[in-house]
Amino acid sequence: MKIGVYFCNCGTNIKDKIDPERVKEKTPADVHFKTVDFLCSEEGKTFLESDIKENGLERVVISACSPREHENTFMRVLSKAGINPYLMQMVNAREQIAWVTDDKEKAVSKAMRYINAAIKRIALHDPLEKKEIDVSQDALIIGAGPAGLKAALSLAEAGRRVVIVEKTPVIGGMPVRYEELFPNMECGPCMLEPLMGEILHGEYSENIELLTLSEVVEAVGFYGNFTVKIKRRPRCVDIHKCIGCAECIEPCPVSAKNEFNCGLNERKAISFPFAGALPNAPFIDDSVCLRAKGDECSLCKNACPVEDAILFDDKESVVERSVGAIVIAIGSDIYDCRNIPNLGLGTIDGVYTAVEFERIIASNGPADGEIKMPDGEPPKAIAIIHCVGSLDERHRGYCSGICCGYAFKFNHIISKKLPDAKIYHLYKELVIPGKEEFSLYRHAQDNMNSFFIRYRNIDDLEITSHQGKKIIRNKTLPAEAGSIESDMVILCPAVVPSDKSGELSRIFEAALDRFGFFEELHNRMDSAQSKIRGIYLAGTCQSPMDIQKAMNQGMAAAGYILSGLAAGRKLEISPVTAVVDADRCSGCRVCISVCPYKAISFDAEKEVSVVNEVLCQGCGTCVSACPSGAIKGNHFTNEEILAEISEVLQ
């Protein structure tokens, strides 16, 4: 077996500390040794290819920089030279020796040991071959908020088939319920309408299948080949036939609390969630409808001017879709402020969460956009409490980032609708990032009726009611100094993970972080990728963020899918994976429990573990955990590693 060693001087980065001639003296005499100034340069790569061919080398050791930087570079050169690229071993002489070893004698000694260890190891390398499989280019988007819709439209415009799964009857997420959005006070539905219109009936809408009132219940497969089961609840209205005239709603004899308006008003059993909701078709709520209770009521159908637009025989069903990639964009929720009972939510009239207040000030909301107290009078003083549940280890230790922005938006709206009303901002910290957000803060500061009061701990605040007034007292201060009278209180809660995050995490085996949000591959470099290949993240399911960042993440997820599942391309699988020896496997399943990539399953028929080569990242966790030594790590076998260690310790 003819082995070659190529020592790269890397200019002066390596040769200033390590003399290649002294290293050459300590390498075995039958090893072909060459020194090159810049092996990664075009001249260096050309020399490497020709020298390998001329000398008939079978194995190659490269002593240079970090494998992370140039391992793929040299593997491509080996392929051109006719050698299997996995018959190469790199020694990181720059970062691990030259840059961290001041003593030149020690640096030379270390380099000798590292290179000789690589020579011993390379003799045991197996030639490995990459595999290719066919993939589906279609995608599944879970969640029809801004992030999910942006990703879906981007994929559809590229000619991909997209399935959007949305658990509610409407698309657009939470922003379509907000009449004005910070920082520029744009109308939420107006801003999103072009995007929603393109999704529903635009040029590329034929590439998009929208499944409302639907949830993913099961998923199997891997990147490029997922099969997903989706449960569809009956809408009982054909969204393609319905013309949205609303004639069916008034005759309906039963009502229920309208959850889309936070229970602040009621809706009929058949209704639109709110005015302007898209798709422009009502839905029937089975939990309220008299027909679901055995009654033969058909008043809504009798009033409908379109034949067969209302479908009483619509049933729950489960459909299957095959896709190559999945984007989780389910959004988030807000912290339950009832966990902080001293703030009075649910027990004192006139205390609202920020989402409830958004619906109050919306013209299509329960109050027609008017800010009024329960007695119908406009409030003379309103308190906005920031950081409710945020920056508090007993509740949520992180800052949600968007709360101050919408709190100052509320300040702007209140001062416009009620110019004489006093507005109190009680805050723990003020966070106003971005190039435009400060304008609303400045508007609040310049308003003579706006007052800023800092508190230290949310438990220090106590809200009580006295003769219709809300008394907000800071218990750490004297009563005279620490009390505020207000007619209305708005709580700005922490952004928290959706209650569906845990269930989807289980279905897709995608990890959640310590806060309950979906965990990204890297929180700065790859926030749109999950730790499971082919599962992407977009929007506030990954972290609290504003609409701009959510849409950018949706675009990033679409970009990953378009580049990874390109038309006509097969999926290339790295051979550096774990392999199970079926004859030695005892079926203990320890490997399944320790695999961080969920790449191992159990074949019940053969009673052995099976490694999915697409999902496996070759980390070796299962190899070290297997009690019977039945798992081998390709390119990192026990024999290879032990030979390397043994030589280093000589």
Side-chain angles (χ1 to χ4, degrees), residues 92-138:
N92 187 352
R94 189 177 70 181
E95 282 89 335
Q96 293 184 354
I97 303 175
W99 283 0
V100 295
T101 311
D102 291 330
D103 189 298
K104 291 186 178 182
E105 288 298 318
K106 290 182 179 180
V108 169
S109 176
K110 286 172 69 175
M112 292 174 182
R113 290 172 181 267
Y114 280 31
I115 290 172
N116 285 334
I119 292 170
K120 289 288 186 181
R121 176 194 170 112
I122 199 70
L124 299 173
H125 277 205
D126 295 317
L128 304 175
E129 298 293 339
K130 293 182 178 180
K131 297 180 181 179
E132 291 184 337
I133 60 172
D134 292 321
V135 297
S136 167
Q137 295 176 39
D138 298 343

Tab-separated table of all heavy atoms in Angstrom, residues 92-138:
chain	number	residue	atom	x	y	z
A	92	ASN	N	-4.555	18.613	11.245
A	92	ASN	CA	-4.721	20.057	11.423
A	92	ASN	C	-3.461	20.629	12.075
A	92	ASN	O	-3.400	20.852	13.279
A	92	ASN	CB	-5.957	20.332	12.282
A	92	ASN	CG	-6.279	21.815	12.363
A	92	ASN	OD1	-5.518	22.654	11.905
A	92	ASN	ND2	-7.410	22.144	12.946
A	93	ALA	N	-2.440	20.857	11.238
A	93	ALA	CA	-1.155	21.334	11.756
A	93	ALA	C	-1.165	22.826	12.040
A	93	ALA	O	-0.287	23.330	12.747
A	93	ALA	CB	-0.047	21.004	10.757
A	94	ARG	N	-2.119	23.548	11.483
A	94	ARG	CA	-2.155	25.000	11.680
A	94	ARG	C	-2.813	25.360	13.006
A	94	ARG	O	-2.172	25.878	13.921
A	94	ARG	CB	-2.878	25.678	10.514
A	94	ARG	CG	-2.771	27.200	10.551
A	94	ARG	CD	-3.428	27.825	9.332
A	94	ARG	NE	-4.885	27.698	9.378
A	94	ARG	CZ	-5.695	28.155	8.419
A	94	ARG	NH1	-5.186	28.725	7.335
A	94	ARG	NH2	-7.003	28.016	8.519
A	95	GLU	N	-4.132	25.085	13.131
A	95	GLU	CA	-4.876	25.481	14.329
A	95	GLU	C	-4.478	24.677	15.568
A	95	GLU	O	-4.372	25.236	16.665
A	95	GLU	CB	-6.390	25.337	14.101
A	95	GLU	CG	-7.008	26.458	13.283
A	95	GLU	CD	-6.977	26.165	11.793
A	95	GLU	OE1	-6.111	25.380	11.357
A	95	GLU	OE2	-7.812	26.725	11.053
A	96	GLN	N	-4.225	23.368	15.395
A	96	GLN	CA	-4.007	22.513	16.571
A	96	GLN	C	-2.537	22.415	16.982
A	96	GLN	O	-2.251	21.914	18.069
A	96	GLN	CB	-4.575	21.116	16.312
A	96	GLN	CG	-6.091	21.101	16.199
A	96	GLN	CD	-6.654	19.699	16.038
A	96	GLN	OE1	-5.914	18.736	15.903
A	96	GLN	NE2	-7.973	19.590	16.053
A	97	ILE	N	-1.623	22.873	16.118
A	97	ILE	CA	-0.202	22.783	16.479
A	97	ILE	C	0.476	24.153	16.376
A	97	ILE	O	0.858	24.751	17.381
A	97	ILE	CB	0.537	21.749	15.594
A	97	ILE	CG1	-0.133	20.375	15.691
A	97	ILE	CG2	2.001	21.639	16.032
A	97	ILE	CD1	0.451	19.326	14.769
A	98	ALA	N	0.635	24.658	15.143
A	98	ALA	CA	1.432	25.875	14.929
A	98	ALA	C	0.885	27.082	15.687
A	98	ALA	O	1.653	27.850	16.284
A	98	ALA	CB	1.514	26.179	13.436
A	99	TRP	N	-0.417	27.265	15.669
A	99	TRP	CA	-0.993	28.471	16.275
A	99	TRP	C	-1.093	28.410	17.803
A	99	TRP	O	-1.303	29.432	18.444
A	99	TRP	CB	-2.384	28.729	15.684
A	99	TRP	CG	-2.342	29.330	14.307
A	99	TRP	CD1	-1.235	29.650	13.577
A	99	TRP	CD2	-3.462	29.686	13.494
A	99	TRP	NE1	-1.578	30.180	12.362
A	99	TRP	CE2	-2.955	30.221	12.275
A	99	TRP	CE3	-4.832	29.605	13.653
A	99	TRP	CZ2	-3.775	30.661	11.247
A	99	TRP	CZ3	-5.650	30.053	12.630
A	99	TRP	CH2	-5.137	30.570	11.439
A	100	VAL	N	-0.956	27.222	18.359
A	100	VAL	CA	-1.159	27.107	19.819
A	100	VAL	C	0.086	26.583	20.541
A	100	VAL	O	0.049	26.350	21.748
A	100	VAL	CB	-2.356	26.177	20.132
A	100	VAL	CG1	-3.643	26.785	19.634
A	100	VAL	CG2	-2.160	24.781	19.552
A	101	THR	N	1.188	26.400	19.819
A	101	THR	CA	2.406	25.861	20.436
A	101	THR	C	3.563	26.835	20.211
A	101	THR	O	4.079	26.966	19.095
A	101	THR	CB	2.771	24.481	19.833
A	101	THR	OG1	1.616	23.652	19.836
A	101	THR	CG2	3.883	23.814	20.627
A	102	ASP	N	3.971	27.530	21.254
A	102	ASP	CA	5.032	28.532	21.129
A	102	ASP	C	6.405	27.896	20.930
A	102	ASP	O	7.241	28.403	20.180
A	102	ASP	CB	5.056	29.430	22.371
A	102	ASP	CG	3.825	30.326	22.450
A	102	ASP	OD1	3.288	30.679	21.373
A	102	ASP	OD2	3.395	30.656	23.559
A	103	ASP	N	6.650	26.791	21.623
A	103	ASP	CA	7.952	26.125	21.548
A	103	ASP	C	8.078	25.357	20.231
A	103	ASP	O	7.299	24.442	19.956
A	103	ASP	CB	8.093	25.167	22.734
A	103	ASP	CG	9.500	24.617	22.850
A	103	ASP	OD1	9.938	23.930	21.901
A	103	ASP	OD2	10.139	24.837	23.890
A	104	LYS	N	9.075	25.701	19.408
A	104	LYS	CA	9.223	25.073	18.091
A	104	LYS	C	9.560	23.594	18.189
A	104	LYS	O	9.112	22.788	17.351
A	104	LYS	CB	10.296	25.802	17.285
A	104	LYS	CG	9.896	27.206	16.847
A	104	LYS	CD	10.934	27.820	15.929
A	104	LYS	CE	10.491	29.208	15.467
A	104	LYS	NZ	11.473	29.816	14.528
A	105	GLU	N	10.353	23.212	19.206
A	105	GLU	CA	10.697	21.799	19.363
A	105	GLU	C	9.454	20.971	19.661
A	105	GLU	O	9.261	19.883	19.110
A	105	GLU	CB	11.732	21.632	20.481
A	105	GLU	CG	13.126	22.116	20.133
A	105	GLU	CD	13.704	21.324	18.964
A	105	GLU	OE1	13.533	20.085	18.932
A	105	GLU	OE2	14.309	21.954	18.073
A	106	LYS	N	8.613	21.507	20.534
A	106	LYS	CA	7.372	20.804	20.858
A	106	LYS	C	6.439	20.765	19.655
A	106	LYS	O	5.739	19.775	19.433
A	106	LYS	CB	6.678	21.482	22.044
A	106	LYS	CG	7.409	21.301	23.366
A	106	LYS	CD	6.645	21.965	24.507
A	106	LYS	CE	7.371	21.752	25.830
A	106	LYS	NZ	6.647	22.396	26.966
A	107	ALA	N	6.423	21.843	18.884
A	107	ALA	CA	5.564	21.881	17.701
A	107	ALA	C	5.981	20.817	16.699
A	107	ALA	O	5.139	20.115	16.120
A	107	ALA	CB	5.616	23.266	17.060
A	108	VAL	N	7.295	20.670	16.486
A	108	VAL	CA	7.786	19.638	15.566
A	108	VAL	C	7.445	18.249	16.092
A	108	VAL	O	7.004	17.372	15.341
A	108	VAL	CB	9.311	19.788	15.357
A	108	VAL	CG1	9.870	18.573	14.615
A	108	VAL	CG2	9.624	21.055	14.589
A	109	SER	N	7.639	18.049	17.374
A	109	SER	CA	7.343	16.741	17.976
A	109	SER	C	5.858	16.382	17.833
A	109	SER	O	5.513	15.244	17.491
A	109	SER	CB	7.742	16.758	19.455
A	109	SER	OG	7.384	15.541	20.084
A	110	LYS	N	4.998	17.366	18.084
A	110	LYS	CA	3.554	17.122	17.942
A	110	LYS	C	3.196	16.802	16.500
A	110	LYS	O	2.416	15.885	16.217
A	110	LYS	CB	2.761	18.344	18.426
A	110	LYS	CG	2.733	18.501	19.933
A	110	LYS	CD	2.110	19.823	20.356
A	110	LYS	CE	0.653	19.901	20.085
A	110	LYS	NZ	0.041	21.140	20.619
A	111	ALA	N	3.781	17.549	15.555
A	111	ALA	CA	3.481	17.320	14.146
A	111	ALA	C	3.896	15.918	13.720
A	111	ALA	O	3.173	15.239	12.974
A	111	ALA	CB	4.187	18.371	13.287
A	112	MET	N	5.075	15.468	14.191
A	112	MET	CA	5.523	14.102	13.879
A	112	MET	C	4.514	13.068	14.358
A	112	MET	O	4.160	12.122	13.643
A	112	MET	CB	6.879	13.832	14.547
A	112	MET	CG	8.050	14.630	13.998
A	112	MET	SD	9.525	14.339	15.003
A	112	MET	CE	10.719	15.426	14.202
A	113	ARG	N	4.072	13.221	15.599
A	113	ARG	CA	3.133	12.252	16.178
A	113	ARG	C	1.796	12.265	15.429
A	113	ARG	O	1.227	11.214	15.133
A	113	ARG	CB	2.898	12.577	17.659
A	113	ARG	CG	4.085	12.299	18.559
A	113	ARG	CD	3.839	12.826	19.967
A	113	ARG	NE	4.968	12.603	20.839
A	113	ARG	CZ	5.114	11.540	21.628
A	113	ARG	NH1	4.184	10.601	21.639
A	113	ARG	NH2	6.165	11.413	22.404
A	114	TYR	N	1.294	13.454	15.138
A	114	TYR	CA	-0.005	13.574	14.459
A	114	TYR	C	0.046	12.946	13.066
A	114	TYR	O	-0.861	12.216	12.655
A	114	TYR	CB	-0.402	15.047	14.332
A	114	TYR	CG	-0.996	15.676	15.581
A	114	TYR	CD1	-0.608	15.248	16.850
A	114	TYR	CD2	-1.923	16.706	15.491
A	114	TYR	CE1	-1.136	15.834	17.981
A	114	TYR	CE2	-2.465	17.306	16.627
A	114	TYR	CZ	-2.057	16.860	17.869
A	114	TYR	OH	-2.580	17.440	18.994
A	115	ILE	N	1.129	13.231	12.331
A	115	ILE	CA	1.229	12.718	10.960
A	115	ILE	C	1.427	11.206	10.955
A	115	ILE	O	0.802	10.485	10.163
A	115	ILE	CB	2.367	13.443	10.206
A	115	ILE	CG1	1.955	14.907	9.949
A	115	ILE	CG2	2.684	12.742	8.882
A	115	ILE	CD1	3.055	15.775	9.377
A	116	ASN	N	2.261	10.699	11.843
A	116	ASN	CA	2.453	9.244	11.914
A	116	ASN	C	1.183	8.530	12.361
A	116	ASN	O	0.897	7.412	11.914
A	116	ASN	CB	3.615	8.908	12.847
A	116	ASN	CG	4.963	9.208	12.215
A	116	ASN	OD1	5.091	9.204	10.990
A	116	ASN	ND2	5.974	9.488	13.031
A	117	ALA	N	0.414	9.185	13.236
A	117	ALA	CA	-0.871	8.603	13.651
A	117	ALA	C	-1.833	8.542	12.474
A	117	ALA	O	-2.563	7.558	12.293
A	117	ALA	CB	-1.473	9.427	14.784
A	118	ALA	N	-1.808	9.588	11.659
A	118	ALA	CA	-2.672	9.606	10.473
A	118	ALA	C	-2.258	8.531	9.481
A	118	ALA	O	-3.104	7.909	8.818
A	118	ALA	CB	-2.628	10.983	9.821
A	119	ILE	N	-0.938	8.280	9.362
A	119	ILE	CA	-0.453	7.225	8.464
A	119	ILE	C	-0.956	5.862	8.925
A	119	ILE	O	-1.389	5.032	8.109
A	119	ILE	CB	1.093	7.253	8.398
A	119	ILE	CG1	1.562	8.537	7.687
A	119	ILE	CG2	1.633	6.015	7.676
A	119	ILE	CD1	3.062	8.767	7.779
A	120	LYS	N	-0.893	5.617	10.234
A	120	LYS	CA	-1.392	4.344	10.774
A	120	LYS	C	-2.893	4.200	10.536
A	120	LYS	O	-3.387	3.129	10.191
A	120	LYS	CB	-1.107	4.270	12.275
A	120	LYS	CG	0.359	4.082	12.629
A	120	LYS	CD	0.819	2.675	12.287
A	120	LYS	CE	2.251	2.436	12.775
A	120	LYS	NZ	2.717	1.075	12.435
A	121	ARG	N	-3.587	5.294	10.722
A	121	ARG	CA	-5.053	5.247	10.574
A	121	ARG	C	-5.459	5.050	9.117
A	121	ARG	O	-6.351	4.260	8.812
A	121	ARG	CB	-5.662	6.547	11.110
A	121	ARG	CG	-7.171	6.632	10.914
A	121	ARG	CD	-7.701	8.032	11.143
A	121	ARG	NE	-9.083	8.103	10.718
A	121	ARG	CZ	-10.134	8.275	11.528
A	121	ARG	NH1	-9.948	8.389	12.813
A	121	ARG	NH2	-11.355	8.325	11.039
A	122	ILE	N	-4.807	5.763	8.200
A	122	ILE	CA	-5.233	5.753	6.804
A	122	ILE	C	-5.107	4.367	6.180
A	122	ILE	O	-5.840	4.016	5.249
A	122	ILE	CB	-4.414	6.796	5.991
A	122	ILE	CG1	-5.135	7.155	4.680
A	122	ILE	CG2	-3.023	6.301	5.703
A	122	ILE	CD1	-6.373	7.944	4.866
A	123	ALA	N	-4.198	3.568	6.725
A	123	ALA	CA	-4.023	2.214	6.194
A	123	ALA	C	-5.256	1.352	6.451
A	123	ALA	O	-5.464	0.337	5.769
A	123	ALA	CB	-2.788	1.570	6.822
A	124	LEU	N	-6.068	1.752	7.415
A	124	LEU	CA	-7.261	0.973	7.770
A	124	LEU	C	-8.544	1.535	7.160
A	124	LEU	O	-9.622	0.963	7.351
A	124	LEU	CB	-7.405	0.933	9.300
A	124	LEU	CG	-6.237	0.287	10.057
A	124	LEU	CD1	-6.409	0.468	11.556
A	124	LEU	CD2	-6.117	-1.188	9.717
A	125	HIS	N	-8.454	2.649	6.453
A	125	HIS	CA	-9.652	3.260	5.871
A	125	HIS	C	-10.269	2.362	4.804
A	125	HIS	O	-9.560	1.698	4.039
A	125	HIS	CB	-9.313	4.616	5.252
A	125	HIS	CG	-9.292	5.732	6.238
A	125	HIS	ND1	-9.517	7.048	5.889
A	125	HIS	CD2	-9.080	5.745	7.577
A	125	HIS	CE1	-9.435	7.813	6.954
A	125	HIS	NE2	-9.162	7.043	7.994
A	126	ASP	N	-11.586	2.377	4.759
A	126	ASP	CA	-12.317	1.660	3.714
A	126	ASP	C	-12.767	2.647	2.646
A	126	ASP	O	-13.140	3.783	2.967
A	126	ASP	CB	-13.556	0.968	4.296
A	126	ASP	CG	-13.196	-0.119	5.293
A	126	ASP	OD1	-12.258	-0.874	4.996
A	126	ASP	OD2	-13.845	-0.198	6.357
A	127	PRO	N	-12.764	2.234	1.392
A	127	PRO	CA	-13.328	3.112	0.352
A	127	PRO	C	-14.848	3.164	0.486
A	127	PRO	O	-15.518	2.128	0.439
A	127	PRO	CB	-12.897	2.430	-0.951
A	127	PRO	CG	-12.687	1.006	-0.583
A	127	PRO	CD	-12.233	0.975	0.839
A	128	LEU	N	-15.379	4.348	0.699
A	128	LEU	CA	-16.821	4.518	0.885
A	128	LEU	C	-17.415	5.214	-0.325
A	128	LEU	O	-16.762	6.043	-0.961
A	128	LEU	CB	-17.100	5.333	2.153
A	128	LEU	CG	-16.510	4.790	3.464
A	128	LEU	CD1	-16.776	5.771	4.601
A	128	LEU	CD2	-17.091	3.422	3.800
A	129	GLU	N	-18.652	4.903	-0.622
A	129	GLU	CA	-19.322	5.495	-1.776
A	129	GLU	C	-20.587	6.216	-1.348
A	129	GLU	O	-21.369	5.695	-0.546
A	129	GLU	CB	-19.686	4.415	-2.809
A	129	GLU	CG	-18.493	3.685	-3.398
A	129	GLU	CD	-17.612	4.581	-4.259
A	129	GLU	OE1	-18.118	5.631	-4.733
A	129	GLU	OE2	-16.438	4.231	-4.466
A	130	LYS	N	-20.783	7.427	-1.876
A	130	LYS	CA	-22.018	8.160	-1.621
A	130	LYS	C	-23.163	7.520	-2.391
A	130	LYS	O	-22.965	6.965	-3.472
A	130	LYS	CB	-21.874	9.626	-2.037
A	130	LYS	CG	-20.891	10.409	-1.181
A	130	LYS	CD	-20.827	11.870	-1.595
A	130	LYS	CE	-19.887	12.650	-0.696
A	130	LYS	NZ	-19.818	14.080	-1.074
A	131	LYS	N	-24.360	7.588	-1.811
A	131	LYS	CA	-25.550	7.046	-2.460
A	131	LYS	C	-26.465	8.182	-2.895
A	131	LYS	O	-26.399	9.295	-2.366
A	131	LYS	CB	-26.297	6.110	-1.507
A	131	LYS	CG	-25.504	4.881	-1.090
A	131	LYS	CD	-26.325	4.012	-0.144
A	131	LYS	CE	-25.533	2.798	0.308
A	131	LYS	NZ	-26.325	1.962	1.260
A	132	GLU	N	-27.337	7.890	-3.825
A	132	GLU	CA	-28.321	8.866	-4.292
A	132	GLU	C	-29.702	8.237	-4.274
A	132	GLU	O	-29.857	7.050	-4.606
A	132	GLU	CB	-28.001	9.352	-5.704
A	132	GLU	CG	-26.751	10.214	-5.793
A	132	GLU	CD	-26.530	10.756	-7.189
A	132	GLU	OE1	-27.053	10.134	-8.149
A	132	GLU	OE2	-25.871	11.794	-7.339
A	133	ILE	N	-30.715	9.010	-3.865
A	133	ILE	CA	-32.093	8.530	-3.874
A	133	ILE	C	-32.993	9.578	-4.517
A	133	ILE	O	-32.682	10.770	-4.524
A	133	ILE	CB	-32.605	8.216	-2.443
A	133	ILE	CG1	-32.561	9.477	-1.566
A	133	ILE	CG2	-31.824	7.085	-1.806
A	133	ILE	CD1	-33.224	9.298	-0.221
A	134	ASP	N	-34.115	9.112	-5.058
A	134	ASP	CA	-35.107	10.032	-5.611
A	134	ASP	C	-35.837	10.736	-4.480
A	134	ASP	O	-36.038	10.168	-3.389
A	134	ASP	CB	-36.116	9.268	-6.478
A	134	ASP	CG	-35.476	8.717	-7.736
A	134	ASP	OD1	-34.640	9.419	-8.324
A	134	ASP	OD2	-35.812	7.580	-8.129
A	135	VAL	N	-36.243	11.968	-4.733
A	135	VAL	CA	-36.912	12.747	-3.694
A	135	VAL	C	-38.155	13.417	-4.250
A	135	VAL	O	-38.287	13.632	-5.451
A	135	VAL	CB	-35.972	13.828	-3.110
A	135	VAL	CG1	-34.781	13.207	-2.436
A	135	VAL	CG2	-35.526	14.813	-4.198
A	136	SER	N	-39.075	13.741	-3.336
A	136	SER	CA	-40.232	14.559	-3.688
A	136	SER	C	-39.843	16.018	-3.526
A	136	SER	O	-39.171	16.389	-2.558
A	136	SER	CB	-41.410	14.228	-2.765
A	136	SER	OG	-42.435	15.198	-2.894
A	137	GLN	N	-40.269	16.844	-4.468
A	137	GLN	CA	-39.971	18.275	-4.384
A	137	GLN	C	-41.103	19.065	-3.736
A	137	GLN	O	-40.995	20.280	-3.562
A	137	GLN	CB	-39.712	18.820	-5.785
A	137	GLN	CG	-38.482	18.233	-6.446
A	137	GLN	CD	-38.320	18.716	-7.864
A	137	GLN	OE1	-38.571	19.880	-8.158
A	137	GLN	NE2	-37.923	17.825	-8.757
A	138	ASP	N	-42.192	18.392	-3.373
A	138	ASP	CA	-43.324	19.074	-2.757
A	138	ASP	C	-43.019	19.407	-1.303
A	138	ASP	O	-42.127	18.823	-0.679
A	138	ASP	CB	-44.578	18.199	-2.832
A	138	ASP	CG	-44.988	17.907	-4.268
A	138	ASP	OD1	-44.517	18.629	-5.167
A	138	ASP	OD2	-45.760	16.954	-4.492
